[in-house]
Amino acid sequence: MKLKKQVTVCGAAIFCVAVFSLYLMLDRVQHDPARHQSGGNFPRSQISVLQNRIEQLEQLLEENHEIISHIKDSVLELTAHAEGQPALSHHPLNGSWVLPPESRPSFLSVSPQDCQFALGGKGQSPDLQMLAVYSLLPFDNQDGGVWKQGFDITYEPNEWDAEPLQVFVVPHSHNDPGWIKTFDKYYYDQTQHILNSMVLKMQEDPRRRFIWSEISFFSKWWDNISAQKRAAVRRLVGNGQLEMVTGGWVMPDEANSHYFAMIDQLIEGHQWLEKNIGVTPRSGWAVDPFGYSSTMPYLLKRSNLTAMLIQRVHYAIKKHFAATRNLEFMWRQTWDPDSSTDIFCHMMPFYSYDVPHTCGPDPKICCQFDFKRLPGGRINCPWKVPPRAITDANVAERAQLLLDQYRKKSKLYRSKVLLVPLGDDFRYDKPQEWDAQFLNYQRIFDFLNSRPDLHVQAQFGTLSDYFDALYKKVGIVPGMRPPGFPVLTGDFFSYADREDHYWTGYYTSRPFYKSLDRVLEAHLRGAEILYSLALAHARRASADGRYPLSDYALLSNARRNLGLFQHHDAITGTAKEAVAVDYGVRLLHSLTNLKRVITNAAHYLVLGDKDTYHHDPAAPFLSTDDTRPSQDSLPEKTVVRLDTSPRFLVVFNPLEQERLSVVPVLVDSPHVHVLSEEGQPLPFQLSATWSSATEVVPDIYQVSVLARLPALGLRVLQLHRSSEGHAALRSSTRLYLNGRDLPVRKPEAVPLHVFPAAANDFCLENQHLQACFSGHSGLLQNLRRAGEEQGHRVSSEFLVYGTRTSKDKSGAYLFLPDGEAKPYAPKNPPVVRVTEGPLFSEVASYYQHVQTTVRLYNVPGVEGLSLDVSCLVDIRDHINKELALRFSTDIESDNTFFTDLNGFQIQPRRYQRKLPLQANFYPMPAMAYIQDLQSRLTLLTAQALGVSSLSSGQLEVILDRRLMQDDNRGLGQGLKDNKRTCNRFRLLLERRTTANKSSGFFSKLVSMFKALGFPGTRTGSPEVQDERPISFPSLLSHITSMHLNAEALVMPVVLEKPVLPALRSFVPLATTLPCDFHILNLRMLQAEDDSLPSTEAALILHRKGFDCSLEAKNLGFNCTTSQGKLVLGGLFQGLELGSLQPTSLTLMYPLGMASNSTNIYLDPMEIATFRIRLG
């Protein structure tokens, strides 16, 4: 009680001092004689200083209030513990049982400095903000003449007299690593011939140039060529004839890919280039992804690239940027306070990256300069005017015609340097094509360059030749901002290439593989980290001779298969069916291999006596908790057979934070109890395993164990077969048949009550949340947070979109619905199954095409603060239908919603009424949310899907799409290979405590200052009315997302013998990482021999940006924040940090000197890579 009084007095004192200070300040403003004399027009600068002061004061008052409430909560919690009250109790139907009290009260204290970042306000406003551009444009699609989506371009002939036009024609060949053919088929049929011809033909004339981007293909070719040819390639790169652009493993999709995989494929490509050719890419080239994320420019900038190019942008935006000469800009991150993320970006102005759409505005003319289409070839010009070979007789006329296009295109840009790409998909695969293009163009160049009166200099160039010339022309160093060029923030989703053809279908197409992609990613990250730690410990103990170093080759292969799948026709779901199967086989092969890497590493790390370690590939020590029989099947959980001797489990937590999790295990007997490695009993819940709505799997039970798992560590658990009379903590189930006559197979050991009719509406609750459901549908209706009088309407429903009846229909790429969604109407009402138990309760609703399960965990910490939602979807009998899940709430979100980009950052969105429905869908790789001044509802996802908010308070996600026809974008197929797919989500409702910074007393202040004419006082939804729209998830949201995406992995010990070596839990971290730090990867680097690891690793850290205005009390994470400071030296228990070298993102460039200090600092949102040696 004494402590409580002290806290109260202290808090009251702080509040009084703050209010009194504010009073004095206001008093000075009102009685300032200078102000009266100047008739109220006192300097703006003083007003803004005063406004800043008041905002700071507000901030401090809020922080004081939060700190006091934290202290109060902690005192109450401590008091409760002292009085012996359990942290959580639950009384299931089968008797009472109490969860042991939480040993550490959760007290999350976020430093006030760490809250400043999300408030924004620093830095200059950009010239172009994409959300504002969208609001501005009419999207009227007027006919522009020969440039159909643009306008007529005119120029004066003497415009280049003072400064001649400098033209760089850049030959390229776009090679898709899988689309119509598989990766290997493309390689054997086309790519190897392109690269072989390239070596031959480039050497014929030193003026020739070529660029290449996909390292997946290039490395395969490299492995198959002679030393002599390799030397020739190095010469071509060395003398600037051949440029490797971007240098990633693939040209990734930017909508569905997650930033872990985007970075990983970039590292894989860059490391390959450095090792084999000794080259570092300087410019980015992305002509084919279907829309562009602002994450990519950030990653390229942090990899030390200085410029980049993009192409597939909405035609209305291209037209607008062309008209305002803003097609080249510095692309900046929305959250960047000081322009350190700026990268120069060139946007191509026309419809496509093919030759007809790259020389200038008139495709009919440009097509005549694609010399692959000369008469007699396999392809021709759709505009019916064929190219003509260039001769002395026609060169003057032909060159003039082409120059006119060059000049017109040049008028759309700010400099007198012009980029003209020359290529298309899989071009230059025959020597004849090299000759046709290069010889004819060289004749044109020679003519143009020999005529000074034309004021043009034309030549072949690489992408960097163009950017270098542009920078030279404006007189600054590459990478710096050229004077007069605009700064842009935002992204380029969603893409339309013509009419209302929005490419928003591919955000969901083939969701099965989008989900498998993320499972593989989580396993790769876990395997990388565990392998690195096991190897470091083995080397320290001089046991690396006995450790399977060869697992490195499996890691390397998995990196490349995950990288391959980031390709813009792979994760997008836009390849042929056979190609999708090929990707699936690769993903599954790598997933199986990674499980092996993880079990091998875990085996070594949990042994009490490492000398007993013996690796036997034929008889592994640990098995995995699930298997997938084929590339298109869902995982099947392994059943642990219980015997008289205990069965041991090793549980791996891939998160860098300790977690209290419910770990599910299947066993063959209900008579079980679970012990820790020290023999202490652990709480668990026993449930039946269901094979359908009404049938249980006989003799198989799920044991859900509550276990505290160390950060990045391994926990050892024991399963014992208990005597018949052992009191299991059983769940209890009610099954509502909704009037359907269905046979029910009852479980033997857990209570089941069957009701023939539907249930009344009912609720599930834990200490944090109450979730209420419709008895008839089994779907969520309402959510109420603890301590709130009234709940929020959060109702869920399934909907179906059809497709148009006109000629243009939805397909793999396009979403062309036939109007608004209609309610999903299954043949029969659902069977609803309600399970209640001590550790979790859940509602499962079985519909004809979807089975949805909503689970509420009844445990302390992060797991119990959100709803776990899963949808098992099977629409294989649908025809031209798309299934959506919509949440409708009473949140007044107006037209604004928020979606993530690549799991890295949040982009505010506005529902645009002037655009068709399909234009308002966006990618959701990790989360989307809606909010008003009081609440935020976040949908977190474990797989990328399309999302929108079509009216206030709504959030909807497309779960799967089955389409019977091609959508005329080259695929030549519909989407008919649907699988049974499990989509997993978390639904998180948070209270916004300081939402608009203007409640009560402060709103009066705000209105007073408005009356004084203060500029920039904002109300409403600040994130969107701001000139720099910016928003961040809360810390709880970040950590919930990590829990969803990195599940604990259970590995049963295979040996069932009574005598086992002693096993010890493995706790790798000596200290708790700050809450906002994420170990993105710890990746062993290659030795000289590709298949073996070196002594160095890449440690990649990300400091997340987060919003403090969402209530952060009692969150149950035992970490805090540290203003971006971290000591790496003592981080890994039992290991020393031998060296620490900060590098560029992909390790190509050292940043500064390697120092002895192991203290590092990261700004919010930044990703940093360190080359380290652990041992």
Side-chain angles (χ1 to χ4, degrees):
M1 284 306 289
K2 198 173 176 189
L3 178 60
K4 266 193 200 172
K5 275 181 188 164
Q6 286 172 347
V7 168
T8 311
V9 171
C10 178
I14 293 169
F15 184 77
C16 291
V17 170
V19 170
F20 187 61
S21 317
L22 189 63
Y23 168 74
L24 288 176
M25 210 160 102
L26 289 172
D27 198 46
R28 281 190 61 189
V29 172
Q30 285 168 346
H31 296 95
D32 185 348
R35 182 179 175 276
H36 289 289
Q37 286 160 14
S38 63
N41 296 324
F42 58 95
R44 285 273 179 201
S45 58
Q46 287 184 22
I47 295 182
S48 58
V49 167
L50 188 55
Q51 187 186 0
N52 287 342
R53 291 265 168 84
I54 287 191
E55 282 177 359
Q56 285 170 6
L57 204 57
E58 251 182 84
Q59 177 70 17
L60 283 167
L61 272 173
E62 283 159 7
E63 283 153 7
N64 288 339
H65 177 74
E66 285 234 333
I67 289 166
I68 289 164
S69 66
H70 280 322
I71 294 170
K72 189 173 130 194
D73 287 340
S74 292
V75 168
L76 291 172
E77 215 168 326
L78 284 164
T79 316
H81 284 298
E83 290 164 10
Q85 293 175 5
L88 179 146
S89 60
H90 184 93
H91 301 279
L93 302 177
N94 55 326
S96 66
W97 175 75
V98 168
L99 187 72
E102 179 62 14
S103 57
R104 286 166 284 189
S106 56
F107 174 46
L108 170 70
S109 160
V110 174
S111 147
Q113 296 99 301
D114 288 332
C115 294
Q116 290 298 321
F117 178 73
L119 299 173
K122 284 189 267 181
Q124 305 157 325
S125 295
D127 306 293
L128 301 167
Q129 206 297 311
M130 287 311 299
L131 209 54
V133 171
Y134 258 80
S135 301
L136 180 78
L137 294 185
F139 293 95
D140 51 0
N141 193 22
Q142 291 180 358
D143 191 325
V146 291
W147 175 20
K148 202 166 169 39
Q149 296 171 329
F151 46 84
D152 278 335
I153 305 170
T154 56
Y155 62 84
E156 298 299 325
N158 60 356
E159 282 189 44
W160 290 273
D161 287 6
E163 196 183 342
L165 182 63
Q166 204 176 349
V167 180
F168 288 92
V169 172
V170 179
H172 68 99
S173 178
H174 179 65
N175 282 239
D176 290 304
W179 180 39
I180 304 301
K181 303 177 185 177
T182 64
F183 173 75
D184 285 338
K185 186 110 176 66
Y186 269 139
Y187 173 77
Y188 290 116
D189 288 358
Q190 282 148 294
T191 307
Q192 63 169 337
H193 305 303
I194 296 167
L195 292 167
N196 286 332
S197 303
M198 183 263 300
V199 179
L200 205 64
K201 290 292 175 182
M202 294 285 280
Q203 294 180 89
E204 289 180 6
D205 186 338
R207 296 173 297 180
R208 293 180 175 180
R209 299 286 184 272
F210 196 63
I211 61 169
W212 188 268
S213 70
E214 298 82 8
I215 305 304
S216 48
F217 275 130
F218 203 87
S219 67
K220 186 176 177 71
W221 173 67
W222 189 263
D223 290 343
N224 289 299
I225 61 175
S226 66
Q228 190 182 358
K229 210 178 251 189
R230 288 180 181 183
V233 171
R234 290 192 187 103
R235 278 197 305 277
L236 290 169
V237 170
N239 69 18
Q241 283 186 263
L242 171 63
E243 183 185 13
M244 307 309 263
V245 286
T246 311
W249 202 245
V250 296
M251 184 186 289
D253 170 46
E254 299 185 20
N256 302 291
S257 52
H258 190 261
Y259 77 120
F260 172 95
M262 290 170 83
I263 293 170
D264 208 63
Q265 65 85 30
L266 206 54
I267 292 176
E268 196 60 27
H270 284 190
Q271 291 289 295
W272 187 93
L273 283 172
E274 186 178 50
K275 186 168 184 239
N276 293 285
I277 305 182
V279 66
T280 54
R282 294 174 49 212
S283 304
W285 172 263
V287 288
D288 204 24
F290 324 137
Y292 297 92
S293 161
S294 46
T295 305
M296 201 65 189
Y298 174 76
L299 301 181
L300 296 180
K301 172 74 172 185
R302 290 292 175 256
S303 302
N304 246 22
L305 278 75
T306 52
M308 61 184 292
L309 172 146
I310 59 177
Q311 149 61 23
R312 286 193 186 269
V313 171
H314 194 299
Y315 61 86
I317 291 170
K318 287 190 173 213
K319 177 181 177 176
H320 174 65
F321 279 12
T324 52
R325 297 206 307 162
N326 285 330
L327 288 165
E328 288 182 322
F329 48 86
M330 298 303 285
W331 198 345
R332 180 178 299 170
Q333 299 305 306
T334 47
W335 38 266
D336 177 7
D338 62 5
S339 76
S340 76
T341 61
D342 287 15
I343 185 170
F344 187 80
C345 181
H346 171 100
M347 183 190 292
M348 292 167 60
F350 307 124
Y351 173 75
S352 168
Y353 55 82
D354 63 8
V355 184
H357 296 95
T358 46
C359 91
D362 190 343
K364 181 177 179 177
I365 292 172
C366 291
C367 195
Q368 298 171 45
F369 294 91
D370 181 357
F371 296 103
K372 181 176 174 138
R373 302 181 196 241
L374 283 164
R378 280 189 307 168
I379 56 167
N380 52 29
C381 283
W383 296 270
K384 305 287 188 281
V385 184
R388 303 206 305 259
I390 305 299
T391 63
D392 289 345
N394 70 10
V395 66
E397 176 266 326
R398 297 273 89 193
Q400 284 283 7
L401 188 63
L402 184 58
L403 178 59
D404 175 60
Q405 291 297 307
Y406 287 171
R407 285 174 170 174
K408 284 175 174 168
K409 182 176 180 179
S410 160
K411 288 289 288 177
L412 307 179
Y413 292 89
R414 290 175 188 242
S415 85
K416 298 279 169 67
V417 187
L418 181 66
L419 172 66
V420 181
L422 181 71
D424 201 343
D425 292 2
F426 295 96
R427 282 301 189 88
Y428 301 98
D429 62 341
K430 292 186 173 60
Q432 298 88 306
E433 185 186 352
W434 285 86
D435 291 340
Q437 302 284 30
F438 280 90
L439 294 172
N440 282 300
Y441 267 96
Q442 194 61 57
R443 288 178 193 127
I444 293 172
F445 298 161
D446 290 345
F447 175 81
L448 291 173
N449 298 341
S450 69
R451 292 278 304 276
D453 57 311
L454 294 176
H455 303 287
V456 63
Q457 152 120 50
Q459 64 207 62
F460 291 117
T462 63
L463 186 58
S464 292
D465 286 341
Y466 166 73
F467 286 126
D468 288 346
L470 188 147
Y471 274 110
K472 190 175 176 185
K473 192 80 102 177
V474 294
I476 58 165
V477 180
M480 302 301 289
R481 180 181 174 186
F485 282 71
V487 171
L488 175 143
T489 63
D491 67 341
F492 296 101
F493 290 118
S494 288
Y495 169 56
D497 59 348
R498 58 178 187 254
E499 295 147 18
D500 58 355
H501 292 194
Y502 282 84
W503 296 44
T504 51
Y506 82 96
Y507 301 155
T508 293
S509 296
R510 296 197 170 112
F512 179 89
Y513 294 108
K514 285 176 164 67
S515 172
L516 183 56
D517 162 77
R518 289 282 272 278
V519 172
L520 181 64
E521 179 182 300
H523 277 76
L524 177 59
R525 179 179 165 275
E528 296 272 21
I529 293 170
L530 216 52
Y531 178 84
S532 300
L533 292 172
L535 189 54
H537 280 281
R539 282 174 169 163
R540 193 170 171 84
S542 302
D544 46 331
R546 290 182 287 131
Y547 192 81
L549 296 179
S550 56
D551 278 2
Y552 188 76
L554 303 182
L555 276 177
S556 188
N557 182 258
R559 293 167 181 170
R560 292 176 174 192
N561 280 337
L562 180 69
L564 186 70
F565 196 68
Q566 304 316 303
H567 163 53
H568 56 262
D569 287 306
I571 192 170
T572 52
T574 56
K576 289 265 193 200
E577 288 178 13
V579 179
V581 170
D582 182 63
Y583 288 134
V585 167
R586 289 169 185 270
L587 295 177
L588 180 61
H589 175 72
S590 285
L591 183 61
T592 308
N593 284 342
L594 289 174
K595 286 181 182 287
R596 205 167 103 199
V597 175
I598 291 169
T599 52
N600 287 343
H603 174 198
Y604 180 80
L605 291 168
V606 296
L607 283 179
D609 179 3
K610 304 281 190 271
D611 292 340
T612 63
Y613 177 75
H614 170 64
H615 171 66
D616 180 358
F621 182 75
L622 296 170
S623 65
T624 54
D625 62 337
D626 65 25
T627 54
R628 291 178 183 245
S630 67
Q631 57 86 23
D632 59 354
S633 51
L634 289 168
E636 296 174 5
K637 280 215 164 305
T638 311
V639 179
V640 178
R641 307 278 167 202
L642 297 178
D643 204 353
T644 46
S645 55
R647 290 296 309 269
F648 286 84
L649 304 175
V650 176
V651 186
F652 173 42
N653 171 21
L655 297 189
E656 58 280 284
Q657 297 295 345
E658 177 185 85
R659 75 206 271 183
L660 185 66
S661 278
V662 174
V663 179
V665 187
L666 292 188
V667 294
D668 64 347
S669 165
H671 309 297
V672 60
H673 61 266
V674 186
L675 306 177
S676 67
E677 68 190 276
E678 299 86 10
Q680 297 293 318
L682 291 174
F684 69 92
Q685 176 171 323
L686 187 76
S687 323
T689 307
W690 296 83
S691 58
S692 71
T694 55
E695 297 212 341
V696 296
V697 182
D699 305 324
I700 305 289
Y701 296 88
Q702 181 168 293
V703 172
S704 304
V705 188
L706 183 63
R708 190 175 290 285
L709 307 175
L712 296 176
L714 299 159
R715 176 90 193 265
V716 178
L717 307 177
Q718 313 178 37
L719 293 180
H720 288 252
R721 191 169 190 136
S722 61
S723 56
E724 298 289 320
H726 186 80
L729 303 160
R730 293 182 169 86
S731 58
S732 167
T733 303
R734 306 192 300 278
L735 192 62
Y736 298 95
L737 299 179
N738 242 330
R740 292 168 66 183
D741 184 19
L742 294 166
V744 176
R745 181 190 280 180
K746 289 195 174 189
E748 288 171 21
V750 287
L752 171 67
H753 307 279
V754 181
F755 300 89
N760 297 322
D761 292 357
F762 60 93
C763 301
L764 301 177
E765 67 182 292
N766 66 13
Q767 71 192 99
H768 304 294
L769 277 178
Q770 183 190 60
C772 297
F773 298 82
S774 150
H776 177 74
S777 72
L779 299 178
L780 184 65
Q781 298 294 301
N782 197 282
L783 262 184
R784 185 169 64 81
R785 292 161 44 98
E788 287 182 341
E789 293 286 308
Q790 224 173 339
H792 288 268
R793 180 171 75 89
V794 182
S795 64
S796 62
E797 60 183 319
F798 292 104
L799 303 160
V800 175
Y801 284 98
T803 191
R804 297 181 177 178
T805 50
S806 64
K807 65 177 174 61
D808 296 311
K809 293 182 167 62
S810 299
Y813 302 91
L814 306 183
F815 179 33
L816 296 171
D818 59 354
E820 292 184 7
K822 297 169 181 63
Y824 167 62
K827 277 193 303 206
N828 297 305
V831 171
V832 177
R833 192 176 67 233
V834 184
T835 302
E836 291 189 279
L839 296 183
F840 68 84
S841 298
E842 67 181 23
V843 181
S845 312
Y846 286 79
Y847 289 89
Q848 186 183 349
H849 300 98
V850 58
Q851 171 201 330
T852 180
T853 306
V854 179
R855 178 180 287 196
L856 182 62
Y857 285 102
N858 191 30
V859 299
V862 176
E863 299 285 19
L865 288 158
S866 58
L867 285 179
D868 190 297
V869 180
S870 66
C871 297
L872 186 60
V873 177
D874 185 352
I875 58 167
R876 286 176 292 185
D877 63 352
H878 274 183
I879 290 175
N880 278 330
K881 297 277 193 290
E882 313 197 19
L883 184 68
L885 168 63
R886 178 183 290 169
F887 295 94
S888 302
T889 74
D890 50 18
I891 291 173
E892 294 171 11
S893 60
D894 207 13
N895 288 330
T896 302
F897 58 111
F898 302 81
T899 67
D900 76 292
L901 290 168
N902 315 101
F904 174 63
Q905 59 185 326
I906 298 294
Q907 178 63 47
R909 309 288 184 192
R910 268 206 202 95
Y911 172 70
Q912 300 283 357
R913 283 196 173 79
K914 62 188 170 188
L915 294 178
L917 181 149
Q918 65 270 20
N920 288 290
F921 275 80
Y922 292 93
M924 175 183 64
M927 66 177 77
Y929 52 85
I930 51 172
Q931 63 186 26
D932 57 19
L933 297 175
Q934 281 73 46
S935 307
R936 175 185 288 182
L937 181 76
T938 307
L939 181 68
L940 301 123
T941 177
Q943 60 287 308
L945 296 167
V947 74
S948 189
S949 172
L950 299 176
S951 80
S952 186
Q954 283 185 6
L955 204 53
E956 73 176 74
V957 56
I958 308 282
L959 298 174
D960 200 359
R961 44 206 317 262
R962 182 172 170 83
L963 302 159
M964 311 316 284
Q965 63 283 314
D966 180 47
D967 51 9
N968 300 310
R969 291 306 182 276
L971 180 60
Q973 277 186 352
L975 279 180
K976 297 186 277 193
D977 56 347
N978 304 68
K979 325 284 179 210
R980 285 179 76 238
T981 300
C982 187
N983 291 316
R984 296 172 43 246
F985 309 99
R986 282 283 176 96
L987 196 61
L988 174 64
L989 179 66
E990 294 173 288
R991 192 159 35 215
R992 298 185 74 198
T993 50
T994 57
N996 66 345
K997 311 270 185 304
S998 57
S999 57
F1001 173 56
F1002 286 109
S1003 62
K1004 291 188 182 78
L1005 278 179
V1006 168
S1007 56
M1008 189 181 99
F1009 285 126
K1010 268 188 172 170
L1012 291 175
F1014 269 64
T1017 313
R1018 295 193 311 269
T1019 54
S1021 184
E1023 292 84 349
V1024 181
Q1025 292 178 3
D1026 196 342
E1027 288 167 0
R1028 297 169 67 233
I1030 187 166
S1031 186
F1032 297 94
S1034 64
L1035 267 179
L1036 174 60
S1037 183
H1038 278 307
I1039 292 176
T1040 304
S1041 177
M1042 309 270 274
H1043 277 235
L1044 176 63
N1045 281 281
E1047 292 184 297
L1049 299 179
V1050 181
M1051 296 167 274
V1053 175
V1054 175
L1055 299 169
E1056 296 175 28
K1057 298 170 193 152
V1059 183
L1060 263 181
L1063 303 181
R1064 298 272 172 275
S1065 289
F1066 169 64
V1067 182
L1069 300 186
T1071 54
T1072 303
L1073 242 77
C1075 295
D1076 52 348
F1077 270 77
H1078 172 46
I1079 296 181
L1080 195 61
N1081 210 345
L1082 176 61
R1083 183 187 207 264
M1084 290 304 299
L1085 299 175
Q1086 255 181 18
E1088 268 313 300
D1089 175 347
D1090 284 5
S1091 62
L1092 293 173
S1094 70
T1095 54
E1096 290 185 317
L1099 173 64
I1100 309 176
L1101 299 174
H1102 175 205
R1103 184 179 171 206
K1104 302 201 165 189
F1106 61 90
D1107 185 344
C1108 294
S1109 76
L1110 293 125
E1111 194 170 49
K1113 294 192 291 190
N1114 304 327
L1115 295 187
F1117 15 103
N1118 302 302
C1119 57
T1120 179
T1121 59
S1122 61
Q1123 295 89 66
K1125 295 191 276 287
L1126 179 63
V1127 182
L1128 288 175
L1131 184 62
F1132 296 102
Q1133 201 154 267
L1135 294 173
E1136 281 172 23
L1137 198 59
S1139 64
L1140 175 70
Q1141 169 67 63
T1143 71
S1144 59
L1145 181 64
T1146 58
L1147 299 111
M1148 303 288 263
Y1149 300 88
L1151 302 178
M1153 301 296 291
S1155 70
N1156 292 332
S1157 167
T1158 62
N1159 299 355
I1160 64 157
Y1161 168 79
L1162 274 189
D1163 280 315
M1165 291 303 295
E1166 291 292 355
I1167 301 172
T1169 302
F1170 302 88
R1171 194 184 282 270
I1172 66 168
R1173 192 175 270 115
L1174 274 180

